[in-house]
Amino acid sequence: MKQLAKTSARYVAAFSLLFALLGTQKVMAESYTFGVLPQRNAVLTAQFWNPILEYVSAKAGVSLSMKTTRTGQESSQAISRGEYDFTYSNHIFKAPNNEVGYQVILRPRSAQVYAQIVVTKSSPIRHLADLKDKPVGFPSRAAFLAYAVAMDELLRKDVTVVPTFGGNQEGIMGQLKAGRVMAAAVNSEVMQDFSKRENFQYRIIWQSQPFYNLPIAAHPRVPRQTVEAVRKAFAGMSGDPEGLRVLNASNALIQQAPPYGYIAAGQKEYQAYIDFYRQTIVKDME
Amino acid sequence: MKSFLQWKNIPFITQLLFFAALVLVFAGVTLVFFSVNEERQQIGHELRQSLQDDLISLPATLQEALVIGDFASLEKQINNYVLRKEIFRVVFHDPSALELVSEDQPVILQAPVWFAQALMSTEIKGSTAINIGSRNYGDITITLTPIPAINRAWNKMQILLQVLLITLIVNLCGIWLLLRRGLRPLAALDQASQALAQGHKETRITPQGSPEFLRSILAFNHMAQALQENQEVIVRSRNDLQRFAEISAHHLQEPARRLVSYSQRLKVLLGELPNDDEARLSLEFIDQQARRQQRLLRDIQLYLAANQPRGDVECIDPAPLLERLQNRLESRLKEADCHIEHGKLLPVQLDAPRFTDILLTLLDNAINHGGKRPLHISISSEACGKRIRYCFADDGCGIPPEYRERVFLVFERLSSSHEGTGIGLAIVRQIALSVGGNAWIEESAGGGCSVYFELPQGEPS
């Protein structure tokens, strides 16, 4: 009898271990999409994010697959459909996207960013009023800082401009550099990175209040455990030599200045976005 | 046919053209060989290089569509890419085992199969993974076909062969025209040489052609001039000598006739004298020598005249002439128990008096020197090229080999037992030589003597 009990116990332990392993395997095999707002061209976006997501996937025990679109508008539409499990975008705050329920889990360590309206350094334009009836470039109607905030200011200042859309942030910066537009509405951090990389000198004629840069948010459908694992992996990157190496390499691609990495955050850090969307007089945001 | 194909029998122009053609063909084949070799290496290198470039450029082209996940654009881009020359197939595999295959329309091989095989080019294939930011988005396999390159190489080869062919034709035509024109003086030289050989000593060639031919023509003209002058000197000397000999023979005939005449008269006068045998003998000797002198002078005259026709040169049928001679010599033939036989005798081109002299001399010699009784003389003839060779063969005692050439010299006699002058055979040879023939002696089958002589073939008018 004792012998039988011992044998049975061994079998139970073996099967338990097997199930535990299978369970782990099942958790590790879970794939999640990570949607990135197309502030830059898709390839550069992938070159920046794929190593980071590979690191986070390994640390969190999940498989994060980067997704992006050609334009901010397409990205906003994808968010409104809830296509992404995780997202790096500020379009989650505007209607009707805010009804999907994405929740902020992380924010970048970098300094807050601003909406700016910029001109070339040699441009004769000095004030917003000088832009009246002039062509001004915007990434897309879906851009928060580079369209909604900037256009809100222009409308409040009663400066009517001729909007020209470049598809994404760097697209419109390229048009400014080429002289096709008199001014461009930009994200200050993206503008700075572009300027360094392209050796382009510009002048800011208007700047908004500070906003935190784009958050990483999770869809409500993602299990809590997974959300926490991903948050922990992102937040721990800058403290881990391997994570820091990945961050340094990715940011070197876009010549972004440190600090690099992410901090755990919540909706409250992005109240400014929520309030803006509630009060803005811009009607044609996408 | 065999002799025509011998190199030395082929005309110079043909030799030169053949050699030039051979060299050009060899150069052409060598050029084609090296061209094909170079093309093979170049095609292989270009394909490999092209594949390497495509394996870099295509992934770069597809990156955006892959990152965005726009497979419709991806497929369109791949379909467009496969339309590039030399790309036959593009296959994309993504990590989820999705496969996109795009194939171009097969290119038709325009070159011959042997040419394609000579270039030994086959499809080449290469693959590369598309990694963006350390994530693998799939891999791409590109297959290149060498057929467009082979077709291009064949077009180039055709142009090369056409140029070679045109070069060959132009070159050969040029050489032929140049030689034909340049060698024209040679034809003039040839014609002039033949005219000179035929006796037209006044032949001269107008200086023409290249410096080499000019020199040859001037040399020819100098030679012809010298020949003509020498010939004139010789002819004058011969004419003078002939004239002197004829005149001498004629004038010497007179004393000989007088000697004979007066010796006859003395004979008659001494006939009345009794028993003076020595005087009678001396007189007989004088008479004989006088007659011999007459005969010698006559034969000398004949010998001197042997080079020139003594009548119309015509086609003579020997048979009637021989019959007349046989009739004329009938008594002598009967006395010598000599029998003549002959078959069909071929006609000759000569004047009748000289032909009669030949026949008469040979018959006379046979009768006088045959040495055997009965004596059979066989006369035959055969054609030898443009001449007729006659043979007078007897079954007599023959002539020893060491004398067979001597007997053709003037005044040479093998024995003095007969009344001959020793000039007969010399006359026969002189006549034969004067018309481009000859005369000689060989031994007959039965040990006798065979006299041969050649005369021009009779040309019936």
Side-chain angles (χ1 to χ4, degrees), chain B residues 178 181-186 189 206-220:
Chain B
L178 206 62
R181 192 178 169 197
L183 292 179
R184 219 171 274 166
L186 205 63
L189 204 61
T206 307
Q208 55 183 293
S210 63
E212 297 88 348
F213 281 119
L214 272 176
R215 283 198 294 275
S216 295
I217 288 169
L218 288 174
F220 176 85

PDB file of all heavy atoms in Angstrom, chain B residues 178 181-186 189 206-220:
ATOM      1  N   LEU B 178      42.364  43.630-107.133  1.00  0.00           N
ATOM      2  CA  LEU B 178      43.702  44.211-107.110  1.00  0.00           C
ATOM      3  C   LEU B 178      44.678  43.347-107.895  1.00  0.00           C
ATOM      4  O   LEU B 178      45.474  43.844-108.708  1.00  0.00           O
ATOM      5  CB  LEU B 178      44.155  44.324-105.648  1.00  0.00           C
ATOM      6  CG  LEU B 178      45.177  45.412-105.332  1.00  0.00           C
ATOM      7  CD1 LEU B 178      44.601  46.767-105.649  1.00  0.00           C
ATOM      8  CD2 LEU B 178      45.559  45.336-103.874  1.00  0.00           C
ATOM      9  N   ARG B 181      43.931  43.296-111.636  1.00  0.00           N
ATOM     10  CA  ARG B 181      44.436  44.486-112.306  1.00  0.00           C
ATOM     11  C   ARG B 181      45.953  44.522-112.255  1.00  0.00           C
ATOM     12  O   ARG B 181      46.622  44.841-113.244  1.00  0.00           O
ATOM     13  CB  ARG B 181      43.849  45.710-111.614  1.00  0.00           C
ATOM     14  CG  ARG B 181      44.070  46.966-112.388  1.00  0.00           C
ATOM     15  CD  ARG B 181      43.425  48.135-111.694  1.00  0.00           C
ATOM     16  NE  ARG B 181      43.902  49.349-112.336  1.00  0.00           N
ATOM     17  CZ  ARG B 181      43.806  50.543-111.817  1.00  0.00           C
ATOM     18  NH1 ARG B 181      43.245  50.676-110.648  1.00  0.00           N
ATOM     19  NH2 ARG B 181      44.248  51.596-112.445  1.00  0.00           N
ATOM     20  N   GLY B 182      46.464  44.170-111.092  1.00  0.00           N
ATOM     21  CA  GLY B 182      47.903  44.268-110.911  1.00  0.00           C
ATOM     22  C   GLY B 182      48.686  43.270-111.736  1.00  0.00           C
ATOM     23  O   GLY B 182      49.823  43.536-112.122  1.00  0.00           O
ATOM     24  N   LEU B 183      48.051  42.110-111.981  1.00  0.00           N
ATOM     25  CA  LEU B 183      48.769  41.072-112.720  1.00  0.00           C
ATOM     26  C   LEU B 183      48.545  41.156-114.227  1.00  0.00           C
ATOM     27  O   LEU B 183      49.005  40.279-114.964  1.00  0.00           O
ATOM     28  CB  LEU B 183      48.332  39.684-112.216  1.00  0.00           C
ATOM     29  CG  LEU B 183      48.751  39.340-110.783  1.00  0.00           C
ATOM     30  CD1 LEU B 183      48.259  37.971-110.381  1.00  0.00           C
ATOM     31  CD2 LEU B 183      50.265  39.407-110.637  1.00  0.00           C
ATOM     32  N   ARG B 184      47.843  42.183-114.641  1.00  0.00           N
ATOM     33  CA  ARG B 184      47.616  42.332-116.085  1.00  0.00           C
ATOM     34  C   ARG B 184      48.941  42.391-116.857  1.00  0.00           C
ATOM     35  O   ARG B 184      49.058  41.791-117.931  1.00  0.00           O
ATOM     36  CB  ARG B 184      46.792  43.589-116.338  1.00  0.00           C
ATOM     37  CG  ARG B 184      45.765  43.398-117.450  1.00  0.00           C
ATOM     38  CD  ARG B 184      44.823  44.562-117.532  1.00  0.00           C
ATOM     39  NE  ARG B 184      43.711  44.406-116.618  1.00  0.00           N
ATOM     40  CZ  ARG B 184      42.879  45.393-116.283  1.00  0.00           C
ATOM     41  NH1 ARG B 184      43.073  46.611-116.748  1.00  0.00           N
ATOM     42  NH2 ARG B 184      41.881  45.174-115.475  1.00  0.00           N
ATOM     43  N   PRO B 185      49.929  43.092-116.360  1.00  0.00           N
ATOM     44  CA  PRO B 185      51.214  43.104-117.065  1.00  0.00           C
ATOM     45  C   PRO B 185      51.787  41.694-117.217  1.00  0.00           C
ATOM     46  O   PRO B 185      52.507  41.419-118.174  1.00  0.00           O
ATOM     47  CB  PRO B 185      52.107  43.971-116.175  1.00  0.00           C
ATOM     48  CG  PRO B 185      51.175  44.841-115.425  1.00  0.00           C
ATOM     49  CD  PRO B 185      49.953  44.027-115.213  1.00  0.00           C
ATOM     50  N   LEU B 186      51.447  40.810-116.274  1.00  0.00           N
ATOM     51  CA  LEU B 186      51.942  39.435-116.358  1.00  0.00           C
ATOM     52  C   LEU B 186      51.376  38.734-117.586  1.00  0.00           C
ATOM     53  O   LEU B 186      52.072  37.976-118.270  1.00  0.00           O
ATOM     54  CB  LEU B 186      51.525  38.686-115.082  1.00  0.00           C
ATOM     55  CG  LEU B 186      52.390  37.486-114.698  1.00  0.00           C
ATOM     56  CD1 LEU B 186      53.806  37.941-114.400  1.00  0.00           C
ATOM     57  CD2 LEU B 186      51.804  36.811-113.469  1.00  0.00           C
ATOM     58  N   LEU B 189      53.159  39.974-120.447  1.00  0.00           N
ATOM     59  CA  LEU B 189      54.481  39.337-120.484  1.00  0.00           C
ATOM     60  C   LEU B 189      54.377  37.922-121.043  1.00  0.00           C
ATOM     61  O   LEU B 189      55.214  37.491-121.865  1.00  0.00           O
ATOM     62  CB  LEU B 189      55.023  39.303-119.057  1.00  0.00           C
ATOM     63  CG  LEU B 189      56.536  39.224-118.871  1.00  0.00           C
ATOM     64  CD1 LEU B 189      57.208  40.441-119.494  1.00  0.00           C
ATOM     65  CD2 LEU B 189      56.870  39.152-117.392  1.00  0.00           C
ATOM     66  N   THR B 206      54.535  47.376-123.822  1.00  0.00           N
ATOM     67  CA  THR B 206      54.429  48.752-123.324  1.00  0.00           C
ATOM     68  C   THR B 206      54.619  48.737-121.805  1.00  0.00           C
ATOM     69  O   THR B 206      53.929  47.992-121.104  1.00  0.00           O
ATOM     70  CB  THR B 206      53.028  49.315-123.627  1.00  0.00           C
ATOM     71  OG1 THR B 206      52.756  49.144-125.016  1.00  0.00           O
ATOM     72  CG2 THR B 206      52.948  50.782-123.246  1.00  0.00           C
ATOM     73  N   PRO B 207      55.548  49.515-121.289  1.00  0.00           N
ATOM     74  CA  PRO B 207      55.766  49.531-119.831  1.00  0.00           C
ATOM     75  C   PRO B 207      54.485  49.899-119.082  1.00  0.00           C
ATOM     76  O   PRO B 207      53.814  50.866-119.420  1.00  0.00           O
ATOM     77  CB  PRO B 207      56.840  50.601-119.646  1.00  0.00           C
ATOM     78  CG  PRO B 207      57.557  50.641-120.944  1.00  0.00           C
ATOM     79  CD  PRO B 207      56.527  50.360-121.990  1.00  0.00           C
ATOM     80  N   GLN B 208      54.133  49.112-118.108  1.00  0.00           N
ATOM     81  CA  GLN B 208      52.896  49.334-117.358  1.00  0.00           C
ATOM     82  C   GLN B 208      53.010  48.617-116.020  1.00  0.00           C
ATOM     83  O   GLN B 208      53.857  47.750-115.838  1.00  0.00           O
ATOM     84  CB  GLN B 208      51.694  48.775-118.132  1.00  0.00           C
ATOM     85  CG  GLN B 208      51.864  47.294-118.486  1.00  0.00           C
ATOM     86  CD  GLN B 208      50.731  46.747-119.310  1.00  0.00           C
ATOM     87  OE1 GLN B 208      49.614  46.659-118.811  1.00  0.00           O
ATOM     88  NE2 GLN B 208      51.012  46.384-120.547  1.00  0.00           N
ATOM     89  N   GLY B 209      52.099  48.974-115.118  1.00  0.00           N
ATOM     90  CA  GLY B 209      51.946  48.228-113.862  1.00  0.00           C
ATOM     91  C   GLY B 209      52.861  48.720-112.755  1.00  0.00           C
ATOM     92  O   GLY B 209      53.471  49.785-112.837  1.00  0.00           O
ATOM     93  N   SER B 210      52.981  47.915-111.741  1.00  0.00           N
ATOM     94  CA  SER B 210      53.732  48.272-110.529  1.00  0.00           C
ATOM     95  C   SER B 210      55.223  48.307-110.840  1.00  0.00           C
ATOM     96  O   SER B 210      55.646  47.787-111.892  1.00  0.00           O
ATOM     97  CB  SER B 210      53.444  47.252-109.436  1.00  0.00           C
ATOM     98  OG  SER B 210      53.900  45.978-109.839  1.00  0.00           O
ATOM     99  N   PRO B 211      56.026  48.894-109.971  1.00  0.00           N
ATOM    100  CA  PRO B 211      57.465  48.995-110.232  1.00  0.00           C
ATOM    101  C   PRO B 211      58.104  47.634-110.527  1.00  0.00           C
ATOM    102  O   PRO B 211      59.000  47.539-111.368  1.00  0.00           O
ATOM    103  CB  PRO B 211      58.008  49.591-108.930  1.00  0.00           C
ATOM    104  CG  PRO B 211      56.872  50.363-108.371  1.00  0.00           C
ATOM    105  CD  PRO B 211      55.637  49.631-108.757  1.00  0.00           C
ATOM    106  N   GLU B 212      57.622  46.586-109.827  1.00  0.00           N
ATOM    107  CA  GLU B 212      58.220  45.268-110.049  1.00  0.00           C
ATOM    108  C   GLU B 212      57.992  44.823-111.486  1.00  0.00           C
ATOM    109  O   GLU B 212      58.890  44.303-112.157  1.00  0.00           O
ATOM    110  CB  GLU B 212      57.598  44.212-109.105  1.00  0.00           C
ATOM    111  CG  GLU B 212      57.831  44.469-107.638  1.00  0.00           C
ATOM    112  CD  GLU B 212      56.770  45.363-107.008  1.00  0.00           C
ATOM    113  OE1 GLU B 212      55.974  45.965-107.751  1.00  0.00           O
ATOM    114  OE2 GLU B 212      56.750  45.464-105.788  1.00  0.00           O
ATOM    115  N   PHE B 213      56.746  45.042-111.944  1.00  0.00           N
ATOM    116  CA  PHE B 213      56.433  44.635-113.309  1.00  0.00           C
ATOM    117  C   PHE B 213      57.139  45.532-114.312  1.00  0.00           C
ATOM    118  O   PHE B 213      57.540  45.070-115.389  1.00  0.00           O
ATOM    119  CB  PHE B 213      54.913  44.662-113.547  1.00  0.00           C
ATOM    120  CG  PHE B 213      54.214  43.457-112.977  1.00  0.00           C
ATOM    121  CD1 PHE B 213      53.249  43.591-112.000  1.00  0.00           C
ATOM    122  CD2 PHE B 213      54.545  42.183-113.403  1.00  0.00           C
ATOM    123  CE1 PHE B 213      52.622  42.483-111.481  1.00  0.00           C
ATOM    124  CE2 PHE B 213      53.922  41.074-112.889  1.00  0.00           C
ATOM    125  CZ  PHE B 213      52.945  41.218-111.914  1.00  0.00           C
ATOM    126  N   LEU B 214      57.267  46.796-113.986  1.00  0.00           N
ATOM    127  CA  LEU B 214      57.974  47.712-114.881  1.00  0.00           C
ATOM    128  C   LEU B 214      59.385  47.222-115.125  1.00  0.00           C
ATOM    129  O   LEU B 214      59.860  47.183-116.274  1.00  0.00           O
ATOM    130  CB  LEU B 214      58.005  49.116-114.265  1.00  0.00           C
ATOM    131  CG  LEU B 214      56.807  50.022-114.580  1.00  0.00           C
ATOM    132  CD1 LEU B 214      56.933  51.326-113.824  1.00  0.00           C
ATOM    133  CD2 LEU B 214      56.704  50.295-116.075  1.00  0.00           C
ATOM    134  N   ARG B 215      60.027  46.824-114.039  1.00  0.00           N
ATOM    135  CA  ARG B 215      61.409  46.328-114.170  1.00  0.00           C
ATOM    136  C   ARG B 215      61.442  45.083-115.050  1.00  0.00           C
ATOM    137  O   ARG B 215      62.296  44.939-115.923  1.00  0.00           O
ATOM    138  CB  ARG B 215      61.985  46.020-112.787  1.00  0.00           C
ATOM    139  CG  ARG B 215      62.421  47.248-112.011  1.00  0.00           C
ATOM    140  CD  ARG B 215      63.365  46.844-110.878  1.00  0.00           C
ATOM    141  NE  ARG B 215      62.698  46.040-109.874  1.00  0.00           N
ATOM    142  CZ  ARG B 215      62.008  46.550-108.853  1.00  0.00           C
ATOM    143  NH1 ARG B 215      61.899  47.851-108.712  1.00  0.00           N
ATOM    144  NH2 ARG B 215      61.425  45.759-107.985  1.00  0.00           N
ATOM    145  N   SER B 216      60.484  44.177-114.791  1.00  0.00           N
ATOM    146  CA  SER B 216      60.459  42.923-115.581  1.00  0.00           C
ATOM    147  C   SER B 216      60.202  43.215-117.049  1.00  0.00           C
ATOM    148  O   SER B 216      60.815  42.609-117.941  1.00  0.00           O
ATOM    149  CB  SER B 216      59.368  41.990-115.045  1.00  0.00           C
ATOM    150  OG  SER B 216      59.658  41.572-113.732  1.00  0.00           O
ATOM    151  N   ILE B 217      59.270  44.168-117.306  1.00  0.00           N
ATOM    152  CA  ILE B 217      58.926  44.488-118.694  1.00  0.00           C
ATOM    153  C   ILE B 217      60.123  45.117-119.397  1.00  0.00           C
ATOM    154  O   ILE B 217      60.431  44.782-120.555  1.00  0.00           O
ATOM    155  CB  ILE B 217      57.688  45.411-118.741  1.00  0.00           C
ATOM    156  CG1 ILE B 217      56.431  44.598-118.364  1.00  0.00           C
ATOM    157  CG2 ILE B 217      57.529  46.077-120.094  1.00  0.00           C
ATOM    158  CD1 ILE B 217      55.208  45.437-118.120  1.00  0.00           C
ATOM    159  N   LEU B 218      60.788  46.014-118.723  1.00  0.00           N
ATOM    160  CA  LEU B 218      61.966  46.644-119.339  1.00  0.00           C
ATOM    161  C   LEU B 218      63.037  45.604-119.622  1.00  0.00           C
ATOM    162  O   LEU B 218      63.684  45.620-120.684  1.00  0.00           O
ATOM    163  CB  LEU B 218      62.507  47.737-118.417  1.00  0.00           C
ATOM    164  CG  LEU B 218      61.642  49.004-118.345  1.00  0.00           C
ATOM    165  CD1 LEU B 218      62.195  49.972-117.296  1.00  0.00           C
ATOM    166  CD2 LEU B 218      61.599  49.694-119.707  1.00  0.00           C
ATOM    167  N   ALA B 219      63.217  44.678-118.664  1.00  0.00           N
ATOM    168  CA  ALA B 219      64.201  43.610-118.867  1.00  0.00           C
ATOM    169  C   ALA B 219      63.818  42.745-120.059  1.00  0.00           C
ATOM    170  O   ALA B 219      64.670  42.354-120.870  1.00  0.00           O
ATOM    171  CB  ALA B 219      64.296  42.751-117.600  1.00  0.00           C
ATOM    172  N   PHE B 220      62.499  42.471-120.164  1.00  0.00           N
ATOM    173  CA  PHE B 220      62.031  41.669-121.305  1.00  0.00           C
ATOM    174  C   PHE B 220      62.335  42.386-122.624  1.00  0.00           C
ATOM    175  O   PHE B 220      62.808  41.783-123.596  1.00  0.00           O
ATOM    176  CB  PHE B 220      60.530  41.395-121.172  1.00  0.00           C
ATOM    177  CG  PHE B 220      59.957  40.661-122.355  1.00  0.00           C
ATOM    178  CD1 PHE B 220      60.003  39.277-122.435  1.00  0.00           C
ATOM    179  CD2 PHE B 220      59.390  41.351-123.421  1.00  0.00           C
ATOM    180  CE1 PHE B 220      59.491  38.601-123.538  1.00  0.00           C
ATOM    181  CE2 PHE B 220      58.882  40.685-124.523  1.00  0.00           C
ATOM    182  CZ  PHE B 220      58.930  39.308-124.588  1.00  0.00           C
TER     183      PHE B 220
END
